[in-house]
Amino acid sequence: AQSVTQPDIHITVSEGASLELRCNYSYGATPYLFWYVQSPGQGLQLLLKYFSGDTLVQGIKGFEAEFKRSQSSFNLRKPSVHWSDAAEYFCAVGAVQGSQGNLIFGKGTKLSVKP
Amino acid sequence: GAGVSQTPSNKVTEKGKYVELRCDPISGHTALYWYRQSLGQGPEFLIYFQGTGAADDSGLPNDRFFAVRPEGSVSTLKIQRTERGDSAVYLCASSPPGPGELFFGEGSRLTVL
């Protein structure tokens, strides 16, 4: 079955510390991979995406993610977290071919930032 | 430069009532999607339109849920005989032609009492 697993429901980091949010997927076809961020009362905003090519992708707000096919992972990283990064983060996977809109989302990881 | 617009932002209704949620996508985006996000969960796919037609409605939970996009732009999600379990945030997204990111609206929060 197709699925996305985000093992960490809630993570707390200190401001300025590094961050890694984990994402593992199970998908039969070649996947597209996405990370979205959702702040309270706001819509989902795309942080970055992987379609093909370089497996290390850069996104907005200083985030990056690395696609590791052998581990079926697409972990999100940031070297130094800012208080404004506190939000909920969702990993999503979609098919390279077929219904492009049928993204499967993980349950999300809520990030809290300590001053 | 408007984004995806969803109305109403909040809707409270009673069990058994009929509800309509509206989505106005970004101009020029041919694809439109509806997702549902329950508390503590990620968004779950409901239906996807390419133009006026539903290209994939495999996520609609049952026949009480129906969506239309008659002119290939605005879409309406219709829920009949609402149940308390329908309470969730209903998200709409649109995208331009070709594979790429989905642009999400802020959602319509539905509460069924």
Side-chain angles (χ1 to χ4, degrees):
Chain A
Q2 301 165 353
S3 65
V4 175
T5 301
Q6 294 181 246
D8 304 304
I9 297 173
H10 190 184
I11 284 182
T12 300
V13 299
S14 297
E15 192 168 15
S18 64
L19 172 71
E20 182 169 30
L21 302 182
R22 295 182 289 165
C23 173
N24 292 95
Y25 67 91
S26 172
Y27 206 79
T30 305
Y32 287 157
L33 295 158
F34 306 81
W35 275 99
Y36 281 85
V37 60
Q38 187 176 40
S39 297
Q42 298 191 15
L44 290 155
Q45 181 184 22
L46 181 72
L47 284 177
L48 47 78
K49 61 191 177 189
Y50 172 79
F51 285 179
S52 64
D54 193 346
T55 56
L56 183 63
V57 293
Q58 302 297 321
I60 62 171
K61 304 183 181 185
F63 285 92
E64 67 178 25
E66 185 171 12
F67 171 55
K68 293 186 177 180
R69 185 185 299 275
S70 62
Q71 298 177 20
S72 297
S73 70
F74 189 57
N75 293 348
L76 181 71
R77 300 194 294 249
K78 186 169 185 178
S80 178
V81 168
H82 187 262
W83 64 267
S84 61
D85 293 325
E88 189 145 23
Y89 292 79
F90 293 93
C91 180
V93 61
V96 170
Q97 296 181 358
S99 181
Q100 67 181 74
N102 191 352
L103 296 186
I104 299 171
F105 284 81
K107 292 187 176 183
T109 297
K110 183 177 180 181
L111 174 65
S112 297
V113 180
K114 292 190 299 185
Chain B
V4 176
S5 175
Q6 292 188 245
T7 54
S9 55
N10 275 287
K11 175 70 176 179
V12 180
T13 190
E14 294 178 344
K15 181 175 178 293
K17 299 291 188 183
Y18 170 80
V19 166
E20 287 190 352
L21 305 176
R22 175 190 166 104
C23 173
D24 199 341
I26 293 171
S27 177
H29 283 192
T30 54
L32 184 146
Y33 317 84
W34 285 98
Y35 284 79
R36 178 168 71 174
Q37 187 174 19
S38 301
L39 194 63
Q41 302 294 317
E44 294 177 293
F45 172 79
L46 295 176
I47 187 170
Y48 153 54
F49 287 90
Q50 188 61 258
T52 60
D56 182 351
D57 65 357
S58 62
L60 294 177
N62 52 59
D63 61 5
R64 294 188 298 105
F65 288 75
F66 190 70
V68 296
R69 195 186 185 199
E71 298 178 355
S73 178
V74 171
S75 175
T76 305
L77 178 66
K78 308 181 180 193
I79 310 173
Q80 298 177 323
R81 305 183 303 280
T82 52
E83 299 177 357
R84 292 193 180 87
D86 299 335
S87 296
V89 177
Y90 289 82
L91 298 169
C92 178
S94 67
S95 70
E101 77 174 277
L102 273 58
F103 294 80
F104 283 86
E106 294 187 6
S108 292
R109 181 177 298 278
L110 175 65
T111 303
V112 182
L113 301 177

